[in-house]
Amino acid sequence: MTGHRKFGDFVPATKIAYVNGRPQTLHLRKCKIVVLEDSGRSREHTFDQPVVTVGAMDDNDITIADETISRYHCRIVQEESSYVIRDLGSTNGTFIKDVRIREAFLEPGCEVRIGNSHVRFHSYDEEVQILPAQVEKCGDIIGRNVRMREIFGMIDKIAPTGATVVIEGETGTGKEVVAQSIHKLSSRKDKPFIVFDCGAVPESLIESELFGHEKGSFTGAIMTRQGLFEMAQGGTIFLDELGELSIDLQPKLLRVLEQREVRRVGSAKSIPVDVRIIAATNRVLEDEVRGGRFREDLFYRLSVVRIMLPPLRERREDIPLLVKHFLDTHAYNRDNAGKQRLRGVAATALRAIEEYHWPGNIRELVNVIERACSFAEGDMVEIEDLPENVRGREARHAAPSTSQSGEILSDSPEGLMAPSDLREMAFKEAKEEWISSFERDYIVALLTRNDNNISHAAREAEIDRKYFRKLMKKYQIEI
């Protein structure tokens, strides 16, 4: 179901309307530029992207063959509830009602003179109802859960647009896969898709990585270097762990979003960029804004479309699909001849996988299936091929272990001593042994979930990074 609002002074920004936390309607802001030619004919161009460039060069969004028009003449930019036209220092100027302007708000229906040529501007809001998709795959994303199929419906509508997207969700829920799928389903699919982890690069180097630098701009800058925004020209840049970006660098990212241009470190020249931005975070950005750690204006500029990914424990019906996909496609389930080694998962093992809580989400599931493939001796994943903490209740049902007196022992996480063994020790010794075993397994599990990234693991544990390293050293845990 789609609908159009009448042209008016106020045009809502592109947004997803949520009701009770579920996506209902996409309000897609568009503008139409009509180029009026001397012959009386006209050319219409419709855009949903936040910036439209006009000039004589072919790499503009609208190219006008007129010797009075500069190579990069002007730019039309979406603001919160309006459009603004900015002259780019053109030779012959940009005019509204015969008044030369540097920057002006555009009213729907107004006529603009660019050099000696004329264009007419219109804007409108297209309203699209979001319905759960009837398929179980969207790009590289898999799921039959209704929330996932609603996300498929959203991606289907927003991927062809230039809308900025923020993907939110716990660690390991597949935010990068969603970003890649949006890129592959967009008109930018043949252009670069560049990933930048804001939490993995030292703060002092982030600006140079993103925006580039000029030779001699700082110690060690022995040559001019392009930044990732320039390298992603025409494509998509994925900013992972956006919440880690320092407050000092956030205004520079805001400038890229608003002006669609970057300035290298040590340079006074701005370079225009045509890049779609997709960001991801496992933090609640509203809380970061309230805590003064994230700029409010950047938050609103980024949050054009927000996608909230559910954790794996809230979409358990998707687990069999995901497991089958991993076994069918991942290299760890192939022999030397390239044939699939394991054909499936035994019923008891699949029950255990479905009942496990999955704190590390899909990333943890991938690791568990890879481990099971390396342990399996037959052509199926069996319950004993799974880690002990995943086996859980199914392992106890399948083969309960007993002490010499016939007592059933509790199912302890891998590496922890059983309670019956601890009861033979003095209280203080038993307590220290249990705590040490727990701490070691806890640190190992965190590192596994976070791909051995110590900073991310320490943050998830809510402990200081130095103390986290101290615990690693104490238990001789090495990466």
Side-chain angles (χ1 to χ4, degrees), residues 323-336:
V323 171
K324 183 180 185 304
H325 174 72
F326 300 152
L327 291 176
D328 289 347
T329 60
H330 285 203
Y332 53 70
N333 191 34
R334 299 282 168 181
D335 59 21
N336 293 333

Side-chain angles (χ1 to χ4, degrees), residues 366-419:
V366 172
N367 291 339
V368 165
I369 298 302
E370 181 174 2
R371 176 191 188 276
C373 285
S374 64
F375 276 78
E377 296 181 356
D379 64 351
M380 298 284 284
V381 173
E382 303 292 346
I383 187 73
E384 58 268 20
D385 300 325
L386 301 176
E388 195 168 345
N389 61 318
V390 176
R391 295 178 215 167
R393 193 168 56 196
E394 287 298 328
R396 291 196 292 274
H397 290 334
S401 56
T402 60
S403 68
Q404 289 181 350
S405 61
E407 174 191 10
I408 296 179
L409 303 179
S410 65
D411 186 37
S412 304
E414 194 171 357
L416 296 184
M417 295 186 68

Side-chain angles (χ1 to χ4, degrees), residues 442-443 446 449-450 455-464 468:
Y442 181 73
I443 296 300
L446 276 175
R449 270 205 308 274
N450 288 278
S455 298
H456 290 186
R459 192 177 304 115
E460 185 178 337
E462 298 183 2
I463 60 178
D464 185 76
F468 194 94

Side-chain angles (χ1 to χ4, degrees), residues 41-336:
R41 300 173 62 186
S42 61
R43 288 187 288 127
E44 291 188 1
H45 304 266
T46 300
F47 300 97
D48 52 42
Q49 61 202 51
V51 179
V52 177
T53 56
V54 183
M57 295 292 285
D58 291 340
D59 56 350
N60 286 284
D61 297 303
I62 298 176
T63 303
I64 303 177
D66 181 340
E67 61 183 13
T68 65
I69 291 180
S70 298
R71 291 181 299 170
Y72 301 100
H73 197 102
C74 63
R75 177 187 295 136
I76 297 170
V77 182
Q78 290 184 12
E79 296 289 352
E80 188 64 28
S81 59
S82 58
Y83 282 85
V84 172
I85 186 168
R86 296 191 178 104
D87 187 86
L88 299 178
S90 64
T91 302
N92 295 306
T94 303
F95 298 80
I96 297 178
K97 295 181 179 178
D98 293 326
V99 176
R100 184 167 183 169
I101 59 96
R102 178 179 296 172
E103 180 176 292
F105 287 102
L106 289 173
E107 294 182 354
C110 73
E111 193 168 302
V112 181
R113 178 160 62 88
I114 302 171
N116 289 337
S117 296
H118 292 77
V119 300
R120 187 171 291 120
F121 170 83
H122 299 285
S123 60
Y124 60 93
D125 168 35
E126 184 178 352
E127 210 171 89
V128 183
Q129 186 178 357
I130 295 176
L131 298 172
Q134 299 303 307
V135 295
E136 296 180 346
K137 186 174 182 182
C138 176
D140 296 327
I141 320 167
I142 293 171
R144 61 165 63 103
N145 173 273
V146 66
R147 288 176 64 185
M148 292 305 298
R149 290 189 291 110
E150 285 173 347
I151 290 171
F152 295 172
M154 291 169 61
I155 292 173
D156 183 58
K157 302 299 182 187
I158 66 168
T161 75
T164 302
V165 181
V166 173
I167 306 166
E168 299 171 88
E170 295 179 7
T171 298
T173 48
K175 296 185 284 292
E176 184 172 339
V177 175
V178 173
Q180 288 174 334
S181 298
I182 293 172
H183 174 74
K184 288 179 180 179
L185 295 170
S186 74
S187 59
R188 299 173 180 264
K189 62 182 181 295
D190 297 325
K191 299 293 184 178
F193 176 83
I194 292 183
V195 179
F196 180 74
D197 188 338
C198 300
V201 178
E203 192 173 310
S204 58
L205 297 178
I206 290 179
E207 185 175 1
S208 173
E209 284 288 316
L210 287 176
F211 309 124
H213 62 255
E214 295 292 337
K215 180 180 179 181
S217 56
F218 55 85
T219 304
I222 59 174
M223 58 186 294
T224 298
R225 183 176 183 273
Q226 279 189 331
L228 294 182
F229 273 97
E230 289 182 69
M231 293 167 64
Q233 182 71 12
T236 303
I237 187 165
F238 175 56
L239 302 177
D240 200 7
E241 300 298 344
L242 178 70
E244 305 298 321
L245 194 65
S246 74
I247 196 78
D248 295 331
L249 286 171
Q250 290 173 24
K252 293 181 169 63
L253 178 58
L254 181 63
R255 176 183 175 83
V256 178
L257 284 162
E258 291 182 334
Q259 305 294 332
R260 297 288 155 168
E261 59 187 26
V262 296
R263 188 175 296 165
R264 294 175 183 168
V265 177
S267 173
K269 179 184 175 184
S270 294
I271 302 170
V273 290
D274 172 24
V275 174
R276 183 182 197 164
I277 296 177
I278 302 177
T281 179
N282 58 9
R283 297 191 181 191
V284 181
L285 288 183
E286 288 94 334
D287 293 344
E288 297 299 300
V289 170
R290 284 192 289 269
R293 296 178 295 274
F294 202 85
R295 289 177 61 108
E296 186 175 22
D297 49 2
L298 178 58
F299 169 72
Y300 286 117
R301 175 61 71 174
L302 282 166
S303 301
V304 175
V305 174
R306 298 172 71 185
I307 295 177
M308 288 80 165
L309 292 182
L312 188 56
R313 61 185 172 274
E314 294 180 9
R315 44 179 294 216
R316 294 183 187 275
E317 64 267 45
D318 291 343
I319 290 176
L321 280 178
L322 291 166
V323 171
K324 183 180 185 304
H325 174 72
F326 300 152
L327 291 176
D328 289 347
T329 60
H330 285 203
Y332 53 70
N333 191 34
R334 299 282 168 181
D335 59 21
N336 293 333

